């Protein structure tokens, strides 16, 4: 199975200007993901998708290929990862390269345990999943079976159940995406227009150092993790 690693890193971040190449612990944020990607033995090729010359330069300095400059229309706030991946696959196909699956590695989740990408790819292959994502367990107090949604001025259990699950021990485990890894079959991306498909596997990263950087407060969390030797 040929797997393409894609690191998406557009310019124009509003929450943290220049986020992808801002120095975190002495190196650009992008470099953490670049190092993890280069260490993964099951990725056949790793490329960067960016519209920004400064980001592209940093990627190349750190051994990441940049085969194209992402079009401006795919670098806006409303552009999703799916469109970015589809563009990359289309471009590479025109160059005679095709892949069975794509591994999306977002720079905003910089701290991946050593070997995590290869472990995820192995599980993806063995399970014959449409996709596989990295997740973390939702704390019990935020479990969807204990969450209420507001509708027309009154509250309803988010899962649609009429009675709430009373005992903590009876709650099913729930997970949220941590943003570190998305692996998806190319056929699902192109034919179903989806990053997930019908059969979704997961890697549970609960317990490992984690931050998904979107705000200045998130950046402070990442800095503290590094200062404490956990980043």
């Amino acid at each position: 199975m040929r797997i393409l690693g894609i690191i998406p890193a557009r310019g124009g971040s509003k929450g943290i200007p220049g986020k992808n190449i801002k120095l975190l612990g002495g190196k650009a944020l992008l470099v953490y993901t670049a190092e993890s990607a280069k260490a993964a033995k099951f990725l056949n090729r790793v490329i960067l998708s960016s519209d920004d010359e400064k980001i592209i330069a940093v990627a190349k300095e750190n051994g990441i290929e940049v085969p194209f400059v992402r079009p401006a229309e795919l670098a806006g706030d409303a552009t999703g990862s799916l469109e970015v991946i589809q563009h990359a696959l289309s471009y590479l196909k025109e160059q005679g390269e095709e892949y069975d699956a794509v591994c999306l590695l977002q720079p905003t989740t910089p701290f991946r345990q050593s070997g995590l990408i290869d472990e995820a790819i192995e599980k993806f292959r063995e399970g014959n999943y449409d996709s596989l994502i990295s997740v973390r367990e939702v704390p019990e107090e935020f479990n969807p079976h204990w969450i209420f949604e507001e509708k027309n001025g009154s509250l309803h259990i988010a899962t649609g159940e009429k009675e709430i699950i009373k005992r903590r021990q009876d709650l099913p485990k729930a997970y949220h995406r941590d943003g570190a890894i998305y692996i998806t079959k190319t056929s699902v991306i192109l034919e179903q227009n989806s990053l997930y498909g019908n059969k979704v596997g997961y890697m549970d990263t609960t317990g490992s150092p984690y931050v998904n950087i979107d705000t200045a407060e998130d950046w402070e969390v990442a800095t503290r993790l590094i200062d404490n030797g956990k980043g």
Side-chain angles (χ1 to χ4, degrees):
M1 176 178 282
R2 284 174 53 77
I3 299 179
L4 174 68
I6 298 180
I7 301 174
R10 71 179 182 91
S13 172
K14 294 180 180 178
I16 305 174
K19 173 173 61 179
N20 285 306
I21 54 175
K22 183 176 179 179
L23 295 183
L24 175 67
K27 59 186 176 183
L29 177 64
L30 170 67
V31 174
Y32 290 89
T33 295
E35 291 175 344
S36 294
K38 289 192 298 181
K41 61 184 179 181
F42 294 145
L43 292 176
N44 295 88
R45 186 180 182 185
V46 179
I47 66 169
L48 177 93
S49 172
S50 181
D51 63 310
D52 188 281
E53 291 183 4
K54 292 181 179 179
I55 293 174
I56 289 171
V58 170
K60 289 182 176 179
E61 288 169 5
N62 288 275
I64 298 299
E65 293 184 68
V66 188
F68 54 79
V69 177
R70 192 196 303 180
E73 61 268 23
L74 291 177
D77 292 340
T79 302
S81 297
L82 180 63
E83 294 94 329
V84 171
I85 294 171
Q86 289 173 334
H87 167 263
L89 288 171
S90 176
Y91 178 91
L92 294 176
K93 185 175 182 179
E94 290 177 359
Q95 309 304 310
E97 282 200 49
E98 296 191 60
Y99 295 86
D100 302 299
V102 170
C103 179
L104 182 72
L105 301 167
Q106 300 182 127
T108 47
T109 307
F111 307 138
R112 296 174 182 83
Q113 287 185 305
S114 177
L116 178 65
I117 296 173
D118 283 332
E119 288 178 28
I121 291 173
E122 282 190 303
K123 186 172 182 180
F124 172 74
R125 288 169 169 168
E126 293 170 0
N128 192 29
Y129 295 108
D130 288 337
S131 65
L132 182 142
I133 61 176
S134 54
V135 297
R136 300 176 73 84
E137 192 169 346
V138 174
E140 291 168 354
E141 62 267 32
F142 301 127
N143 190 290
H145 292 272
W146 280 3
I147 296 294
F148 290 88
E149 293 180 346
E150 188 275 335
K151 293 180 181 178
N152 300 319
S154 62
L155 295 179
H156 303 265
I157 301 172
T159 55
E161 295 161 309
K162 293 184 178 180
E163 296 292 332
I164 201 163
I165 295 176
K166 297 180 176 62
R167 299 191 333 135
R168 170 182 57 81
Q169 296 89 337
D170 295 331
L171 286 172
K173 285 188 177 182
Y175 300 91
H176 68 88
R177 299 169 299 169
D178 70 3
I181 296 175
Y182 293 81
I183 308 173
T184 312
K185 288 180 177 177
T186 300
S187 58
V188 172
I189 294 169
L190 298 179
E191 297 169 16
Q192 298 184 31
N193 208 38
S194 171
L195 278 179
Y196 302 100
N198 299 315
K199 186 179 180 183
V200 183
Y202 68 96
M203 290 291 293
D204 186 353
T205 66
T206 307
S208 61
Y210 166 72
V211 62
N212 193 335
I213 300 175
D214 185 50
T215 66
E217 290 75 17
D218 298 331
W219 192 274
E220 291 176 5
V221 171
T223 300
R224 287 198 297 272
L225 286 171
I226 289 175
D227 291 343
N228 294 328
K230 297 179 180 179

